[in-house]
């Protein structure tokens, strides 16, 4: 079959995603110091995005090399599970950030570790189930009229996936609003204790709120168009609409390591150790807490 430029772009996107997130996974696995709940969640996100990138590459290979309905189902199921795990890991990171601010005094406890492991087990378990649904028979291979804009997924299947995304997005929106309230309240309390409101307090608060807006805005801008089109789109529409909304969704997995990993100074230091074998920096690194935004 002739190469589809959209498939090529998805494959290129998958390659970039896999390379970026493989580095994050290697850094976290290589560095014993990165074993806190925050980095466990970042590692889960990077692993999910790494699998999603590999899934995009495999989908391209099997689409043009091995044309098989069984292989197509396995690849689609793998992609669904990987992207679902990525979105679920983002929700877990949001919950962790909220708890680190709301329960700051008890955050560093065994209870937090148990909570993180429980969230990850639930996230990956649900994602695996969603990925298995098309493989176990919830597909449109034998009933073309039930196909969605993402073949071979059925309309009811993509509706379920879109509804799950909308729910996660609303939960994240609510939690980030609460985080903004806590950050503003903490800044105001510090200012009152010092008996005056300095410009640095305004700058810190504004920076924190802006960062949260960028995180949520990037997530929404990447996935919302595709989720909406999955609900309102028709399989008879030109496939270019599906590609045009799916491609930006993959960019979220490309941006995630930049937002959640490479900006963290502990990971930056571990990168120096990983690539240089020693760490000799002229600037000191400050360890960030999970609540840093």
């Amino acid at each position: 079959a002739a190469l589809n430029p959209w498939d090529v772009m998805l494959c290129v996107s998958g390659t970039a995603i896999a390379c970026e997130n493989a580095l994050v996974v290697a850094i976290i696995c290589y560095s014993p110091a990165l074993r806190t709940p925050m980095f466990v969640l970042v590692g889960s996100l990077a692993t999910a995005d790494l699998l999603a990138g590999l899934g995009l590459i495999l989908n391209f290979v099997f689409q043009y090399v091995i044309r098989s309905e069984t292989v197509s189902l396995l690849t689609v199921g793998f992609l669904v599970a990987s992207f679902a795990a990525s979105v679920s890991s983002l929700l877990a990171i949001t919950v962790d950030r909220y708890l680190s601010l709301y329960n700051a005094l008890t955050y560093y406890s065994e209870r937090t570790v148990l909570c993180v492991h429980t969230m990850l087990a639930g996230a990956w378990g649900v994602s695996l189930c969603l990925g298995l649904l098309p493989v176990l028979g919830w597909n449109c291979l034998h009933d073309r009229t039930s196909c969605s804009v993402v073949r071979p997924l059925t309309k009811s299947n993509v509706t379920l996936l879109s509804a799950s995304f909308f729910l996660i997005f609303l939960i994240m929106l609510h939690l980030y609003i609460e985080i903004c309230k806590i950050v503003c309240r903490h800044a105001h309390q510090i200012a009152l204790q010092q008996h005056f409101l300095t410009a640095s307090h305004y700058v810190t608060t504004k920076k924190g709120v802006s960062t949260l807006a960028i995180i949520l805005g990037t997530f929404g801008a990447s996935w919302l168009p595709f989720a909406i089109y999955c609900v309102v789109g028709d399989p008879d529409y030109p496939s270019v609409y599906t590609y045009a909304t799916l491609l930006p969704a993959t960019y979220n997995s490309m941006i995630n390591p930049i937002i959640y990993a490479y900006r963290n100074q502990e990971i930056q230091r571990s990168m120096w150790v990983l690539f240089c074998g020693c760490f000799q920096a002229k600037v000191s690194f400050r360890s960030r807490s999970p609540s840093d935004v």
Side-chain angles (χ1 to χ4, degrees):
L3 283 178
N4 186 333
W6 288 100
D7 289 328
V8 175
M9 286 189 287
L10 284 174
C11 183
V12 172
S13 177
T15 304
I17 291 169
C19 292
E20 279 186 295
N21 289 281
L23 179 59
V24 176
V25 173
I27 291 171
I28 293 178
C29 293
Y30 175 82
S31 306
L34 304 181
R35 295 292 185 270
T36 62
M38 176 184 65
F39 290 113
V40 171
L41 292 171
V42 173
S44 172
L45 175 62
T47 302
D49 288 332
L50 169 61
L51 294 177
L54 294 176
L56 290 173
I57 298 173
L58 292 175
N59 181 66
F60 177 83
V61 173
F62 291 140
Q63 186 173 356
Y64 290 96
V65 178
I66 305 175
R67 301 181 65 85
S68 168
E69 290 184 349
T70 302
V71 173
S72 175
L73 279 177
L74 291 175
T75 305
V76 170
F78 185 80
L79 284 170
V80 169
S82 300
F83 281 118
S86 175
V87 173
S88 300
S89 296
L90 287 174
L91 175 62
I93 290 175
T94 306
V95 173
D96 179 69
R97 284 183 166 179
Y98 172 74
L99 293 177
S100 69
L101 287 169
Y102 186 76
N103 296 319
L105 296 178
T106 60
Y107 177 78
Y108 294 98
S109 64
E110 293 296 330
R111 183 178 179 181
T112 301
V113 176
L114 178 61
C115 178
V116 167
H117 290 165
T118 302
M119 285 194 299
L120 289 182
W124 281 91
V126 172
S127 301
L128 180 61
C129 291
L130 291 175
L132 287 174
L133 288 178
V135 179
L136 297 178
W138 201 1
N139 57 69
C140 64
L141 292 180
H142 304 293
D143 183 14
R144 299 293 180 179
T145 59
S146 64
C147 281
S148 67
V149 295
V150 184
R151 295 181 178 86
L153 299 181
T154 63
K155 295 178 182 178
S156 55
N157 194 342
V158 297
T159 300
L160 172 64
L161 294 175
S162 298
S164 302
F165 168 80
F166 291 137
L167 177 61
I168 290 176
F169 181 77
L170 290 176
I171 294 175
M172 290 179 62
L173 177 61
H174 172 71
L175 289 176
Y176 274 127
I177 291 175
E178 293 300 317
I179 290 174
C180 288
K181 291 180 180 179
I182 295 175
V183 170
C184 294
R185 185 165 60 247
H186 285 180
H188 184 67
Q189 290 174 348
I190 293 174
L192 290 179
Q193 290 175 359
Q194 296 178 354
H195 303 294
F196 61 91
L197 207 58
T198 62
S200 61
H201 294 125
Y202 285 113
V203 172
T204 302
T205 303
K206 183 179 179 180
K207 181 180 178 182
V209 174
S210 299
T211 304
L212 294 177
I214 291 174
I215 292 174
L216 192 62
T218 301
F219 176 63
S222 300
W223 278 105
L224 277 177
F226 181 66
I228 295 174
Y229 182 69
C230 284
V231 176
V232 303
D234 189 273
D236 294 330
Y237 291 170
S239 60
V240 64
Y241 296 155
T242 302
Y243 283 114
T245 53
L246 176 59
L247 187 62
T250 65
Y251 292 159
N252 186 67
S253 296
M254 198 182 302
I255 298 172
N256 283 339
I258 299 174
I259 295 178
Y260 295 97
Y262 295 134
R263 291 175 63 249
N264 186 280
Q265 293 181 341
E266 290 292 336
I267 290 184
Q268 291 174 8
R269 179 170 61 184
S270 298
M271 287 178 63
W272 278 102
V273 174
L274 180 63
F275 288 112
C276 302
C278 61
F279 179 67
Q280 295 179 352
K282 296 181 180 180
V283 294
S284 61
F285 286 85
R286 181 181 63 87
S287 178
R288 293 192 177 195
S289 67
S291 60
D292 286 343
V293 293

